[in-house]
Amino acid sequence: MASDWLGSLVSINCGPTLGVYQGEVSSVDQSCQTISLRQPFHNGVRCPVPEVTFSAIDIKDLKILEIRNGNTQNNSSVSTKTSSAPVAVPKGSSSSRGANQATPKKNGVKNGISQMKQRDDECFGDGMDDGLDTDFDFEGNLALFDKAAVFSEIDTSERRNGARSRGTPHEQTPSRYRHDENIIESKPIVYRQITVPQPGAKEYCTDSGLVVPSIVYELHKRLLSVAERYGLTLERRLEMTGVCASQMALTLLGGPNRFTPKNLHQRPTVALLCGPHVQGAQGISCGRHLANHEVEVVLFLPNFVKMLDSVTSELTLFSKTGGKLVSNIKDLPDTPVDLIINCLDCHENTFLMDQPWYRAATEWANQNRAPVLSLDPPISGQGQAVEAKWSLSLCLPLPLGEGAGRVYLCDIGVPRQVFQEVGIKYLSPFGCKFVIPLHSA
């Protein structure tokens, strides 16, 4: 009976032109020699119509995949000839609708929904998604790629052509570099780039590890003397020292976080304690630059009958800035200031420490509780009555004591040939800066 085949799953081969169809048998018409499949697949892809009807003349082969009618189900593929199918396959040609002339059922709303789905598939997809029932085996396909053989072939080809090899997986893994390390091969770094004939008692090093030796005061004085002979006069050195010291002081006072147009009403106050010597002139130069940067500067300098010409010249310039000059300790601020710059000490005249004005100035500084920056302090052993938090040395550092605090170095523009003339092998440790911090080696 033809009804016995209804619901079975079959595969119909219609030749190379029409292809292969699979689906569930929905109807068999023996009189018309046709068979219809519900929810058909064409060459593995779901058809856009719910039902397809085939004529016996177009069927080349028919296989029963699963018999669902009755209690017996056979999941194996059963190959049959067309004569064993429920449709008789006559010889010769006859007219039929063919596999490509699908006749959808006209069952109202269901048919309308199917037609809408068909239009959606035609507009928005090619119907391939329904056939992707299995996941792609990435691991299996990757295993087919022999990386070692491919890299070996590339390496052989590059060596033959004279090109540099990129390396193979069997080669050693290159070293990892930090963000601040140079990955390009270069000459070994020499960390001792400065050597002196008369080293001081201490050695320092920069943030990058360069060794900066200290020098004795006699060599320091001879270096400045040769520099002056070449044209680096005292006035030039005072200006360089003043600029560098003021720049360091501005940083200590807050830098760009404090010196903004919004903070003009909160101008920092700096007290400068100066003596009648070169170190005092350097402090006055620093005070002039600070005053030009809207800092409230109070300069203490005792009255002397005779002062150095450099001190007098710097005072003349400072008086034009609007800064305050006092000669009595009582005129210094009685409240803590933001910063004290100590320029009271001299390298050569240690007798100043016995003067009343010196003792009064150091006592005021120690009681003010403000941080102290010592400018060009003397070597260790000569004594410092004011304990500093920072000290700024010039050109090359002197062996400073513990009371100097953290040591910084200032570039005052001494040419390299001047160093060579006094027997110092010198390569600048400053890099892109004029003031750098030093650490005890």
Side-chain angles (χ1 to χ4, degrees):
M1 294 295 292
S3 60
D4 295 337
W5 301 97
L6 298 180
S8 300
L9 298 179
V10 298
S11 175
I12 299 177
N13 186 355
C14 297
T17 303
L18 298 179
V20 180
Y21 288 80
Q22 295 89 21
E24 180 183 346
V25 178
S26 59
S27 65
V28 177
D29 190 340
Q30 291 183 342
S31 60
C32 297
Q33 295 289 295
T34 60
I35 182 173
S36 300
L37 301 183
R38 182 188 299 112
Q39 297 178 354
F41 282 80
H42 179 219
N43 293 333
V45 180
R46 183 182 293 276
C47 295
V49 293
E51 190 175 90
V52 178
T53 302
F54 301 87
S55 176
I57 193 64
D58 297 320
I59 299 176
K60 306 301 181 185
D61 189 19
L62 187 147
K63 295 180 181 180
I64 300 175
L65 304 179
E66 184 177 352
I67 300 176
R68 293 182 177 178
N69 190 14
N71 297 326
T72 304
Q73 289 187 353
N74 184 12
N75 293 328
S76 60
S77 177
V78 180
S79 178
T80 65
K81 298 294 183 181
T82 54
S83 59
S84 63
V87 181
V89 183
K91 302 292 183 178
S93 60
S94 63
S95 61
S96 63
R97 284 174 292 177
N100 58 346
Q101 298 179 4
T103 305
K105 291 184 176 181
K106 298 181 180 179
N107 52 358
V109 178
K110 182 177 181 181
N111 184 54
I113 296 176
S114 300
Q115 290 179 348
M116 292 175 62
K117 184 177 185 302
Q118 177 182 358
R119 288 196 297 268
D120 291 342
D121 291 340
E122 291 176 354
C123 294
F124 303 107
D126 54 3
M128 293 298 293
D129 293 340
D130 295 331
L132 300 178
D133 295 332
T134 58
D135 295 332
F136 183 76
D137 188 2
F138 288 96
E139 295 183 358
N141 282 268
L142 184 61
L144 300 177
F145 176 61
D146 191 351
K147 294 183 287 185
V150 173
F151 277 111
S152 178
E153 182 180 352
I154 295 174
D155 182 61
T156 303
S157 176
E158 289 182 342
R159 292 182 187 277
R160 186 183 300 114
N161 298 329
R164 193 170 80 90
S165 175
R166 301 185 187 93
T168 64
H170 302 291
E171 294 182 357
Q172 185 177 1
T173 304
S175 302
R176 295 181 179 272
Y177 294 90
R178 299 197 311 269
H179 68 281
D180 58 344
E181 288 184 321
N182 186 8
I183 62 174
I184 302 177
E185 294 183 0
S186 59
K187 296 180 180 180
I189 300 176
V190 178
Y191 288 99
R192 189 174 292 275
Q193 300 178 351
I194 303 174
T195 57
V196 297
Q198 297 173 279
K202 299 184 66 175
E203 278 192 340
Y204 301 90
C205 63
T206 65
D207 288 339
S208 58
L210 298 178
V211 177
V212 180
S214 64
I215 58 176
V216 297
Y217 178 69
E218 289 74 14
L219 182 59
H220 175 80
K221 185 168 59 174
R222 185 152 53 96
L223 177 65
L224 296 182
S225 177
V226 175
E228 186 165 0
R229 178 159 49 86
Y230 279 103
L232 190 63
T233 60
L234 176 61
E235 288 75 15
R236 287 190 173 187
R237 300 200 303 271
L238 291 175
E239 191 67 15
M240 282 294 299
T241 304
V243 170
C244 292
S246 62
Q247 182 63 63
M248 181 177 176
L250 290 172
T251 302
L252 296 176
L253 291 171
N257 296 323
R258 184 167 186 179
F259 290 90
T260 62
K262 296 181 180 180
N263 283 339
L264 290 179
H265 62 289
Q266 296 178 341
R267 298 171 60 183
T269 302
V270 173
L272 269 163
L273 307 179
C274 299
H277 37 61
V278 174
Q279 283 68 35
Q282 293 171 349
I284 301 172
S285 175
C286 174
R288 169 166 54 90
H289 290 291
L290 289 176
N292 288 338
H293 284 263
E294 303 301 323
V295 176
E296 293 283 353
V297 179
V298 181
L299 172 61
F300 167 76
L301 181 66
N303 288 324
F304 295 95
V305 177
K306 186 178 181 180
M307 290 188 294
L308 296 177
D309 293 338
S310 58
V311 175
T312 304
S313 300
E314 291 297 331
L315 277 178
T316 302
L317 288 173
F318 177 79
S319 63
K320 308 301 180 182
T321 63
K324 184 178 180 181
L325 175 62
V326 299
S327 58
N328 195 318
I329 295 298
K330 296 180 180 180
D331 296 329
L332 288 172
D334 54 0
T335 57
V337 296
D338 292 274
L339 180 66
I340 296 175
I341 300 180
N342 178 22
C343 304
L344 295 172
D345 298 296
C346 178
H347 293 288
E348 298 177 348
N349 189 359
T350 59
F351 298 102
L352 293 176
M353 300 178 66
D354 299 329
Q355 299 293 324
W357 60 267
Y358 184 95
R359 292 197 300 267
T362 56
E363 183 179 358
W364 177 88
N366 291 328
Q367 292 179 354
N368 193 266
R369 301 190 304 275
V372 177
L373 168 62
S374 184
L375 182 55
D376 194 14
I379 62 175
S380 176
Q382 292 186 359
Q384 287 179 260
V386 179
E387 186 172 350
K389 187 174 183 179
W390 310 279
S391 289
L392 182 61
S393 293
L394 310 183
C395 193
L396 283 177
L398 299 173
L400 302 180
E402 295 297 330
R406 187 172 184 183
V407 181
Y408 284 75
L409 191 63
C410 165
D411 183 10
I412 60 174
V414 178
R416 184 184 300 181
Q417 188 174 349
V418 175
F419 288 98
Q420 296 176 354
E421 187 165 330
V422 298
I424 299 177
K425 180 184 177 182
Y426 181 84
L427 186 62
S428 174
F430 290 96
C432 62
K433 300 179 180 179
F434 281 87
V435 177
I436 58 175
L438 297 180
H439 313 276
S440 297

